[in-house]
Amino acid sequence: MNEPVNYVDEVLDGMQLAHPRIFKVDGATGRVLRKPVVEPGRVGVVSGGGFGHLPMFAGYVGDGLLDACAVGDVFASPDMNPMLEAIRLADGGKGVLCIVGNYGGDKMNFAMACEFAEMEDIAVRQVLVTDDVASAPADQMNKRRGVAGMVYVMKIAGAAAAAGHDLAEVTSLAQRAADNCRSVGVALASCIVPQSGRPTFEIADDEIEIGMGIHGEPGVWRGKAKLADALAEELLTHLTGDLALASGDRVSLLVNGLGATPVEELYILHRAARKILSEQGIDVAIARVGNYATSMEMAGASITLMKLDQQLETLLAAPATNPFWSV
């Protein structure tokens, strides 16, 4: 990289240069990434969050996904201004849905942006994503963080909007996707925020931490490393019970890399997870393996399950134009 202070803006510039038919940097703040053309006459879908998690958040702008995304500094929420700009730029006259991770700054700033948008006669709704089972017990869902499950919610909302659903229907489908998602992660090594220049946390080479947050928030437990099969079993134990899955259920399985773990190892983890789910009679209808919601160069992975019904499965399988998402 060059100067840390320019990190985010130079990445955004590089993204629009590499993919000019998909991404455009816009807004007076220069911190909105949007589609080059937003279609009138349909619901807009936006999100926003701190940088350092690519492809999430900004990387999921594209046809069938987000129309625009507000971008903050690394691991820091955007302020209200780019969020409001994203809403304005995504507005095609049928209202805008905001997909928000359950983090204090994101919630506060999106709430203010939505208030200002409503004063400009833009109909807005919000869906809060709370899929991280490690961050709070099941009876305190409102305290759970939004992690890789946000990817599914963005995809469902974008596909629903592209299919012509109205704002109430897009919001309802996105909320159903959020309600049906559960995630848990494991960290093997820390990352380094560019402007700090030092690891976010310390962990021994032979240790792992189950439930670590994507900003380095503490997990459920820290202990000695496990082999892939045992690790998959440990992670899935946290998910299947919380989601109340039973034999015959259909799910989408996302094995996500946190930034530094080789994709080959993600496939090993995926293989182990598929075997466990198959033994439980749970059908993996759609599988995804790769880096979908990262934490800079943190080593580790997360597993997300989304319980499917026919409508969610159809929307999840719908086409999207985006370098980070393929059917």
Side-chain angles (χ1 to χ4, degrees), residues 85-96:
E85 289 176 338
I87 293 170
R88 289 169 176 159
L89 290 166
D91 180 31
K94 296 296 183 179
V96 176

Side-chain angles (χ1 to χ4, degrees), residues 276-327:
I276 294 166
L277 292 170
S278 177
E279 290 171 349
Q280 296 177 7
I282 297 168
D283 182 14
V284 178
I286 299 175
R288 295 198 166 270
V289 180
N291 294 318
Y292 286 83
T294 63
S295 185
M296 297 297 292
E297 79 280 30
M298 186 182 291
S302 66
I303 292 180
T304 300
L305 294 177
M306 182 169 72
K307 187 175 181 179
L308 297 173
D309 56 37
Q310 185 173 1
Q311 192 172 22
L312 289 179
E313 187 172 340
T314 298
L315 292 169
L316 190 60
T321 304
N322 180 275
F324 303 110
W325 183 280
S326 58
V327 175

Side-chain angles (χ1 to χ4, degrees), residues 17-141:
L17 288 169
H19 309 287
R21 296 182 180 179
I22 300 174
F23 300 134
K24 178 178 175 59
V25 178
D26 205 344
T29 62
R31 286 298 184 89
V32 176
L33 201 64
R34 68 169 177 88
K35 294 160 52 176
V37 177
V38 174
E39 304 92 322
R42 73 167 198 51
V43 173
V45 181
V46 307
S47 189
F51 216 58
H53 306 299
L54 280 177
M56 200 173 78
F57 298 82
Y60 292 117
V61 169
D63 291 337
L65 289 159
L66 300 177
D67 293 291
C69 186
V71 179
D73 287 329
V74 174
F75 294 1
S77 172
D79 64 33
M80 183 205 73
N81 294 307
M83 290 179 174
L84 180 57
E85 289 176 338
I87 293 170
R88 289 169 176 159
L89 290 166
D91 180 31
K94 296 296 183 179
V96 176
L97 172 64
C98 303
I99 299 170
V100 186
N102 193 21
Y103 300 94
D106 293 352
K107 291 193 297 180
M108 177 183 68
N109 291 324
F110 258 119
M112 289 191 294
C114 287
E115 287 182 12
F116 277 91
E118 288 172 342
M119 287 190 286
E120 298 175 12
D121 294 324
I122 301 173
V124 288
R125 300 288 185 275
Q126 297 183 64
V127 167
L128 191 66
V129 184
T130 58
D131 58 303
D132 184 6
V133 302
S135 51
D139 61 352
Q140 299 179 41
M141 286 282 292

Side-chain angles (χ1 to χ4, degrees), residues 104-285:
D106 293 352
K107 291 193 297 180
M108 177 183 68
N109 291 324
F110 258 119
M112 289 191 294
C114 287
E115 287 182 12
F116 277 91
E118 288 172 342
M119 287 190 286
E120 298 175 12
D121 294 324
I122 301 173
V124 288
R125 300 288 185 275
Q126 297 183 64
V127 167
L128 191 66
V129 184
T130 58
D131 58 303
D132 184 6
V133 302
S135 51
D139 61 352
Q140 299 179 41
M141 286 282 292
N142 64 316
K143 295 182 180 180
R144 287 181 169 178
R145 301 178 290 242
V147 287
M150 291 195 67
V151 178
Y152 280 136
V153 182
M154 292 173 187
K155 178 62 178 69
I156 295 297
H165 291 288
D166 64 22
L167 181 59
E169 292 167 333
V170 173
T171 302
S172 176
L173 287 162
Q175 186 64 62
R176 194 193 311 168
D179 293 341
N180 285 14
C181 280
R182 300 291 188 276
S183 302
V184 66
V186 56
L188 284 71
S190 180
C191 63
I192 299 174
V193 175
Q195 287 180 295
S196 73
R198 61 181 183 274
T200 304
F201 60 90
E202 299 292 339
I203 187 169
D205 290 341
D206 63 345
E207 288 184 326
I208 59 173
E209 185 155 349
I210 300 287
M212 175 72 71
I214 57 175
H215 307 102
E217 299 97 333
V220 176
W221 65 260
R222 179 180 292 198
K224 296 300 181 182
K226 295 185 176 186
L227 299 179
D229 287 358
L231 184 58
E233 184 174 6
E234 170 78 15
L235 295 176
L236 284 174
T237 297
H238 289 280
L239 302 180
T240 54
D242 200 283
L243 200 49
L245 292 176
S247 179
D249 285 338
R250 290 168 67 82
V251 300
S252 181
L253 167 65
L254 169 62
V255 178
N256 168 63
L258 296 181
T261 297
V263 175
E264 290 90 341
E265 295 180 22
L266 299 179
Y267 278 110
I268 293 173
L269 195 61
H270 174 259
R271 171 184 176 273
R274 288 294 286 266
K275 182 176 184 293
I276 294 166
L277 292 170
S278 177
E279 290 171 349
Q280 296 177 7
I282 297 168
D283 182 14
V284 178

